[in-house]
């Protein structure tokens, strides 16, 4: 008996840091893929740098006909496995994918720009104070600087630093979902 199965969304586990490669290979095979990513500032010794990562590290979503394409998807370069719970392979409701797409945007990329306000927990990036945690006490927009309160040598000290030299301490994925 020949019957068609409606394509459904499935969650795939990718090889470590190979989400984009797996997505590209699946797209070449004609599989619809959704790989939500975020772009944010990360502190480095050289100062803050913009990085782009998968919203769900190690995972991506693909929409395909299970019967016709599951072998192709399972063995695509960069794909580790199709997420399952024992013998059960759950599909992801289309409404969930639609909601994620609405939140992330058409480019599958959500940029997290952090406008600092007094009270924000930050980390100083680059320079002699690199890696120190601080709290913003004042934003000085005309000078593109912020005044922060940090603990240094057992004392709380107020210092001014370039606004571009601080990054938010909060987890970048936390506010999206």
């Amino acid at each position: 008996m020949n019957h068609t199965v409606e394509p459904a969304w499935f969650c795939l586990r990718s090889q470590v840091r190979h989400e984009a490669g797996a997505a590209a290979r699946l797209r070449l095979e004609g599989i619809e893929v959704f790989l939500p990513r975020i772009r944010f500032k990360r502190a480095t010794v050289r100062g803050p740098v913009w990085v782009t990562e998968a919203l769900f590290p190690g995972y991506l979503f693909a929409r395909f006909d299970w019967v016709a394409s599951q072998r192709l998807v399972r063995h695509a370069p960069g794909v580790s496995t199709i997420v399952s719970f024992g013998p059960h392979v759950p599909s992801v409701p289309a409404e969930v994918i639609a909601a994620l797409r609405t939140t992330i945007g058409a480019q599958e990329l959500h940029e997290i720009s952090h406008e600092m306000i007094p009270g924000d927990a930050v980390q100083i990036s680059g320079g002699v104070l690199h890696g120190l945690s601080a709290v913003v006490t004042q934003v000085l927009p005309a000078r593109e600087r912020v005044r922060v309160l940090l603990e240094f040598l057992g004392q709380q000290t107020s210092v001014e630093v370039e606004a571009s030299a601080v990054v938010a301490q909060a987890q970048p994925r936390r506010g999206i979902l």
Side-chain angles (χ1 to χ4, degrees):
M1 181 161 74
N2 190 5
H3 66 290
T4 59
V5 176
E6 188 70 27
W9 284 100
F10 296 93
C11 183
L12 311 179
R13 177 93 169 115
S14 74
Q15 294 169 353
V16 177
R17 297 200 184 272
H18 284 85
E19 302 93 350
R25 293 304 280 263
L26 288 167
R27 286 181 177 124
L28 285 174
E29 296 292 339
I31 302 292
E32 184 179 356
V33 175
F34 178 55
L35 175 59
R37 296 168 300 139
I38 54 173
R39 187 168 188 264
F40 60 95
K41 280 186 184 178
R42 175 172 284 152
T44 70
V45 175
R46 296 183 320 254
V49 295
W50 283 97
V51 296
T52 301
E53 293 181 352
L55 177 60
F56 306 108
Y59 295 93
L60 62 151
F61 303 97
R63 185 174 179 263
F64 57 93
D65 176 330
W66 179 262
V67 174
S69 301
Q70 66 98 6
R71 283 184 75 95
L72 170 80
V73 170
R74 189 181 308 269
H75 298 292
V79 174
S80 290
T81 188
I82 300 171
V83 173
S84 64
F85 301 97
H88 177 65
V89 180
S91 63
V92 178
E95 300 79 34
V96 171
I97 300 297
L100 279 170
R101 279 190 162 146
T102 299
T103 301
I104 299 299
Q107 300 297 317
E108 297 185 358
L109 180 65
H110 180 75
E111 188 170 295
I112 301 168
S113 60
H114 182 72
E115 295 295 324
M116 287 173 281
I117 59 172
D120 282 352
V122 295
Q123 183 177 20
I124 299 174
S125 179
V128 296
L129 301 175
H130 175 73
L132 293 178
S133 295
V135 175
V136 174
T137 58
Q138 185 178 11
V139 178
L140 308 165
R143 295 179 24 212
E144 296 182 6
R145 297 179 72 80
V146 292
R147 184 176 305 278
V148 297
L149 185 63
L150 54 89
E151 189 166 316
F152 187 71
L153 299 175
Q155 292 183 332
Q156 287 193 338
T157 306
S158 180
V159 296
E160 270 187 34
V161 294
E162 290 182 35
S164 62
V166 297
V167 296
Q169 271 191 330
Q171 296 293 333
R173 289 170 180 79
R174 192 169 280 162
I176 296 173
L177 304 173

